[in-house]
Amino acid sequence: MTRNCDYLAIVKKWSFRSLVPRLPAKFLRYAQNFFLEGERRLRYPLYVCRTNSRLPLRLRLPNLAQKSSFMDRHHLVLKFILAACLASCSIVEAGEPSPIVDTGQNLCYDNNRQLPCPGPESTFYGQDAHYQNKQPSYIDNGDGTVTDNVTALMWSKSVDEVKLSLVEAQHKAHLMTLGGYNDWRVPTIKELYSLINFQGNTGTPERHDAFATLPPDAIPYIDTDYFDFRYGNTAAGERYIDAQWLSATPYVSTTMDDMQTLFGVNFADGRIKGYGYQKQGNSYQIKKFYVRYVRGTPYGENDFKDNSDGTITDRATGLMWMQKDSERAMNWEEALQYASSFAFASYSDWRLPNAKELQSIVDYTRSPDFTQSAAIASVFECTEVINEAGNRDFGFYWTSTTHLEGPHPMKAVYIAFGRAMGQMHGHTLDMHGAGAQRSDPKTGQAEIGIGPQGDARRVKNLVRLVRGGNVIAPPVASVISNKKYPHTVKIIDKFSPTATTTLRLSLQALPGPPNTHHGSYQFNMGGFNTQGSENKPQGTPSRQQIHTVNRQIKPGLERPNGEQWVRRLDKNRDDKVSVLEFDGPRQHFSDFDLNRDGYITASEAPAGPPPRPNQP
């Protein structure tokens, strides 16, 4: 049971409490003293170890035949400790796959509402809540750290009010001694995404000034019972959903007009996006993030085996995947039906993967522009598509996970294995990178220009099926859990005056389009802006260089009219754009809102940059 096991640490108070958290403190102290005495008398160290580098903690004991008088005297204590360990920990053999943390989703939905989880013969059977993986489980270690019992990663609990660049975050991690450890790092995108919980909800803005108002039904996509959380600093002019967390995973191509890009997770709206942080070939970094630091053995590395029968096994997770995809696109309901009736390679238990399962096979070292392939290992086969810009590309792939945005569950999560397309300033391009996780309506018509970055909505997406792993399909009646997520929605909503003032001044330094303010420039990239002036650091691209492409209209593309402009930004489909839905600087909203009713209609929609009162 302990072969091939890496010994990590002699049992100490912190590790013992992690192993047996159910024991009272008095017994923990007694038990620890027992083990320390055992080490001294037996001269045989008692170890806590993991198997396969990243599996749950396990206790190794000396041979009971040694020093039998000592062992006999404490035999009852020993038995009690072992029982507690077995009850508290997942004991696994060396070499077993590392499980994927469940998405947490435990309710079922059709195309626009919650419904009792349907049975196997029903239309919407096979969605996320029908299958249970290793449920999210954490321990607050009481020292500013949180341990994930599934991945064995240790995380920083708090979140600083000041956002950082990757370079700044890596420097801080290098100096950190949180919890007595000095091996902290910025997480990879797969490590960071392991924390997402799809019981979260982006929320439903109800007022035209909701830009500065957190909707009452908003719930973070991370468990605030264990992790501190902040939304965007609305007092400084950010949107409340400007809560992007940093990963150390770069996009191997570029997004948004040749921007070098880092992937991050937005725990306010439940997405992975590539965020442009600096212009290609330029050291002037612009985008900054909240940061949650991690330590422990790296998580999320794949180990694929071609089974030579049209299936691929990831030995790192135990999941078996179809080597080919569906080769045809379909809506979400059709995808569930396709999976439920599928049989291949003598297996009939294929299913539509949940968001975390599908994201686990993304290869972030690959992209259509960098490797001329989908963002997935070459052992898989991917159907080529023609994207919204008319270029050869690869598809979006459905998951079984519903994405909750407001009261109506009308969207489902997909992973973009090709470019995550969008449209801004009449230019159709890769907005968020291959490997992004966004969501599409479960039914409807394809369109582009949706939301702040003009996302492409395809509605009909490809499917790659999965089977196996640690997943169980419980009886339908037991699917819905009464466990509240989280027990308490705890939000840190206070920002220091210094942090707010600094951020506000930074945002005010972004006065708008290039022809309106004294040589400054702005390019909206989803809740943040590239910024600069005539005094910007050497090597920063000029305003003219950045906007040349954006001002050009490609042949065959017309500049959007007022109705198209409204449709692009109108998330709640009320035929007008609120402050929250507006994708430009807040001060520009007032310039367009001619009748001051708090909305921009098609007749008020801009045909170009907003007019300024002080200009002729």
Side-chain angles (χ1 to χ4, degrees):
M1 186 172 175
T2 58
R3 63 182 184 276
N4 301 324
C5 182
D6 297 326
Y7 297 143
L8 297 184
I10 295 175
V11 174
K12 295 183 180 179
K13 186 173 184 178
W14 67 268
S15 59
F16 208 98
R17 191 173 293 276
S18 297
L19 274 169
V20 284
R22 302 174 187 177
L23 300 182
K26 182 177 180 180
F27 182 83
L28 283 173
R29 289 192 296 271
Y30 179 79
Q32 183 179 343
N33 291 335
F34 161 72
F35 276 103
L36 293 178
E37 184 182 2
E39 284 184 342
R40 181 174 61 82
R41 293 197 182 191
L42 301 176
R43 297 180 182 179
Y44 192 109
L46 307 169
Y47 289 100
V48 172
C49 64
R50 302 176 202 269
T51 59
N52 198 25
S53 300
R54 53 182 179 270
L55 295 176
L57 293 168
R58 174 190 303 148
L59 195 63
R60 179 174 182 178
L61 298 170
N63 190 323
L64 295 184
Q66 292 182 311
K67 306 290 185 180
S68 58
S69 61
F70 174 79
M71 281 300 183
D72 290 342
R73 187 155 49 93
H74 295 81
H75 185 64
L76 182 60
V77 175
L78 179 62
K79 288 179 65 176
F80 191 84
I81 291 170
L82 288 175
C85 288
L86 291 170
S88 306
C89 307
S90 298
I91 305 299
V92 291
E93 292 294 332
E96 282 191 11
S98 177
I100 294 175
V101 187
D102 195 75
T103 65
Q105 194 158 100
N106 58 7
L107 299 177
C108 292
Y109 308 92
D110 61 14
N111 287 331
N112 55 28
R113 63 186 177 88
Q114 182 186 330
L115 75 165
C117 284
E121 304 302 321
S122 302
T123 302
F124 289 95
Y125 182 78
Q127 57 185 282
D128 194 335
H130 281 114
Y131 299 95
Q132 294 183 356
N133 211 317
K134 291 288 186 180
Q135 295 301 301
S137 174
Y138 307 102
I139 295 174
D140 187 333
N141 299 314
D143 58 0
T145 70
V146 176
T147 298
D148 186 327
N149 293 324
V150 180
T151 66
L153 293 172
M154 181 180 288
W155 295 89
S156 58
K157 176 183 176 68
S158 65
V159 55
D160 194 82
E161 64 180 358
V162 178
K163 296 179 179 179
L164 302 176
S165 69
L166 177 60
V167 172
E168 292 169 334
Q170 289 174 328
H171 178 69
K172 182 175 179 179
H174 179 70
L175 300 176
M176 284 175 62
T177 58
L178 180 65
Y181 303 101
N182 60 5
D183 57 347
W184 293 97
R185 65 179 187 273
V186 177
T188 67
I189 192 62
K190 289 188 178 181
E191 289 171 333
L192 188 60
Y193 195 64
S194 72
L195 297 178
I196 200 167
N197 191 307
F198 280 96
Q199 294 179 83
N201 194 316
T202 308
T204 312
E206 296 178 349
R207 294 165 30 190
H208 70 272
D209 65 345
F211 181 97
T213 304
L214 178 66
D217 58 342
I219 301 173
Y221 288 79
I222 190 170
D223 195 338
T224 59
D225 288 332
Y226 295 94
F227 297 97
D228 293 346
F229 181 80
R230 291 181 184 272
Y231 283 104
N233 188 345
T234 56
E238 286 188 314
R239 304 173 303 170
Y240 78 89
I241 60 171
D242 287 331
Q244 300 93 1
W245 258 258
L246 175 68
S247 90
T249 303
Y251 185 33
V252 292
S253 184
T254 59
T255 61
M256 298 185 182
D257 190 22
D258 207 28
M259 295 292 292
Q260 290 183 326
T261 299
L262 285 168
F263 284 102
V265 177
N266 190 326
F267 288 102
D269 69 4
R271 288 174 170 85
I272 295 175
K273 289 182 178 179
Y275 296 96
Y277 67 97
Q278 67 184 41
K279 194 71 173 178
Q280 181 80 355
N282 169 29
S283 61
Y284 182 43
Q285 295 197 9
I286 299 158
K287 169 62 180 171
K288 297 191 177 185
F289 305 76
Y290 290 132
V291 186
R292 195 172 302 283
Y293 300 91
V294 70
R295 61 175 299 275
T297 303
Y299 169 85
E301 299 172 358
N302 301 110
D303 182 13
F304 293 120
K305 175 189 175 184
D306 187 338
N307 299 316
S308 301
D309 61 355
T311 69
I312 305 294
T313 295
D314 186 353
R315 289 174 290 197
T317 63
L319 294 173
M320 179 183 288
W321 295 90
M322 283 296 300
Q323 188 168 32
K324 292 184 177 181
D325 58 34
S326 58
E327 298 182 339
R328 65 180 178 88
M330 59 194 80
N331 65 30
W332 190 67
E333 179 180 344
E334 292 168 339
L336 291 171
Q337 293 175 341
Y338 172 81
S340 65
S341 61
F342 194 83
F344 186 82
S346 301
Y347 299 106
S348 59
D349 58 346
W350 296 95
R351 65 180 187 276
L352 194 62
N354 70 32
K356 289 187 177 180
E357 289 173 330
L358 189 56
Q359 192 265 349
S360 77
I361 62 170
V362 175
D363 186 340
Y364 286 96
T365 68
R366 302 170 68 86
S367 77
D369 291 313
F370 185 68
T371 56
Q372 290 74 55
S373 70
I376 195 171
S378 59
V379 71
F380 291 94
E381 298 179 21
C382 296
T383 299
E384 292 187 8
V385 302
I386 301 299
N387 68 23
E388 289 75 9
N391 299 323
R392 171 182 172 269
D393 206 343
F394 300 91
F396 302 165
Y397 286 73
W398 280 124
T399 76
S400 62
T401 306
T402 291
H403 193 197
L404 300 175
E405 288 194 308
H408 304 296
M410 301 171 63
K411 296 180 181 178
V413 171
Y414 69 78
I415 305 293
F417 284 85
R419 301 175 186 91
M421 299 298 291
Q423 187 177 76
M424 292 184 69
H425 309 295
H427 197 183
T428 304
L429 69 168
D430 186 357
M431 299 301 294
H432 300 127
Q437 176 255 294
R438 305 191 302 195
S439 59
D440 257 2
K442 296 176 180 179
T443 186
Q445 299 297 318
E447 54 186 330
I448 192 170
I450 305 301
Q453 296 92 53
D455 290 4
R457 287 181 174 174
R458 296 179 182 171
V459 182
K460 292 192 174 183
N461 295 318
L462 294 164
V463 172
R464 187 179 303 278
L465 299 181
V466 70
R467 61 170 302 276
N470 292 281
V471 173
I472 59 171
V476 173
S478 66
V479 168
I480 298 179
S481 169
N482 292 323
K483 181 181 182 297
K484 184 181 178 183
Y485 166 84
H487 288 103
T488 305
V489 179
K490 292 177 287 190
I491 309 299
I492 301 175
D493 57 0
K494 302 297 183 184
F495 292 83
S496 70
T498 300
T500 299
T501 300
T502 301
L503 180 56
R504 183 186 297 116
L505 291 174
S506 176
L507 295 175
Q508 289 175 352
L510 311 176
N515 61 346
T516 61
H517 272 271
H518 313 297
S520 298
Y521 63 88
Q522 172 182 310
F523 182 44
N524 185 283
M525 294 184 293
F528 63 95
N529 305 286
T530 55
Q531 57 183 346
S533 67
E534 298 304 327
N535 297 320
K536 56 187 174 287
Q538 185 177 5
T540 303
S542 68
R543 178 188 70 193
Q544 182 68 25
Q545 289 173 315
I546 286 184
H547 284 278
T548 295
V549 175
N550 292 331
R551 289 200 301 267
Q552 294 175 344
I553 303 298
K554 286 188 173 183
L557 291 176
E558 298 181 358
R559 189 177 296 279
N561 58 32
E563 291 182 357
Q564 292 172 326
W565 186 92
V566 169
R567 187 166 62 250
R568 178 174 71 85
L569 298 177
D570 181 19
K571 284 187 174 182
N572 62 3
R573 293 295 183 260
D574 61 353
D575 296 324
K576 52 190 176 183
V577 175
S578 69
V579 176
L580 180 66
E581 295 168 325
F582 186 61
D583 68 349
R586 191 175 183 183
Q587 61 265 34
H588 289 178
F589 184 88
S590 298
D591 296 329
F592 294 132
D593 182 18
L594 301 179
N595 62 2
R596 299 295 186 266
D597 66 346
Y599 297 95
I600 299 174
T601 61
S603 62
E604 298 170 313
R612 288 295 182 187
N614 61 351
Q615 291 183 335

